[in-house]
Amino acid sequence: MSLLTPYDGSARLFQIGIKPLDPTEWIDADESLVAQLAEKRRVLAQYPEKTFVAQADTEHSQIELLHLLASHLPTRFPDIYRREGECIAIRPSGDKVDLAARPALLTAAHLVAEDLVLLRRDDSGWRLVAAALAFPSSWVLAEKFGQVMHDIHASVPGFGAGTRPSQLIERMFDNLRVEQPLIRWNWSLYGDDRLYHPDSAGPRRFGEGDRADPVFLRVERQTLRRLPESGDIVFTIRIHVDPLERLAAHPQAPAIATALIEQVTALSDEQADYKGLTLERPRLLARLAELAG
């Protein structure tokens, strides 16, 4: 539960919150990797047209990303990944990923729990040009494909075209250095623990009783890294989902729950609607109050 640290009150809601990331910490692999890779394979196979898109001219960048992962993973996680000729073996599961398989971005997606998104600069701004997205958090890939960043974020309160946050994102992408990846965190609350959540952010329901239950905290670990050859940017999203019961076992549970209460309470009506919490906010706050003591 240390992943909840970004929500201990040290970061304010809806700020960009970008920080430098040690390149060796680019990819996240833990005890949930094998289960998430299995679920990713299932989702990618069941919904191929909904989970993978790519412009024809992104093949070089896709291969560049795949080669970067093939170099990074066995070095960073030798107990998990092993290079075997033109394959990467995932040791805990016994699976092997053929690096020659195409499309390369889809091959790369089978190596890591992260969703992988490629962004490319043109005269209009940074545009989503390819993605392997198995675990979306209430957004539909087909609706975002080909769009520039301010259009992608148009539904996020305060992040539309011409806003200061939108301009800051554009500048940050322009200035991103190959040697310095970035990291940020995001959070949401759902009534189930499904990883594949493409449905739009409508009103959430946390059970039918008087008490909000079940409630799951969904944390997104997001990174940005510029590819050295193409100059395109890789946006990774790693999902962690925990029931509030697990939060209760955390030694800092009261402090974390209090920080969440403050964040949920501080949401404007527009922000609460975007988060899908307008209907259930009172019950949710009552449930968090139990944890806050």
Side-chain angles (χ1 to χ4, degrees), residues 43-89:
V43 170
L44 292 174
Q46 185 171 351
Y47 308 106
E49 73 289 347
K50 297 180 179 180
T51 56
F52 177 77
V53 292
Q55 289 184 184
D57 59 356
T58 61
E59 183 177 4
H60 173 75
S61 294
Q62 293 183 47
I63 294 172
E64 185 182 5
L65 170 57
L66 177 60
H67 287 172
L68 188 61
L69 284 170
S71 174
H72 173 81
L73 294 173
T75 302
R76 176 65 182 86
F77 304 105
D79 293 338
I80 299 176
Y81 298 96
R82 181 176 59 235
R83 182 70 180 256
E84 297 182 357
E86 291 305 308
C87 293
I88 294 287

Side-chain angles (χ1 to χ4, degrees), residues 27 52 82 95 105 109 116 124 140 179 186 193 206-207 242 266 272:
I27 297 299
F52 177 77
R82 181 176 59 235
D95 295 322
L105 184 60
L116 303 172
S124 301
V140 177
E179 68 276 9
N186 201 1
D193 61 353
F206 302 119
D242 287 299

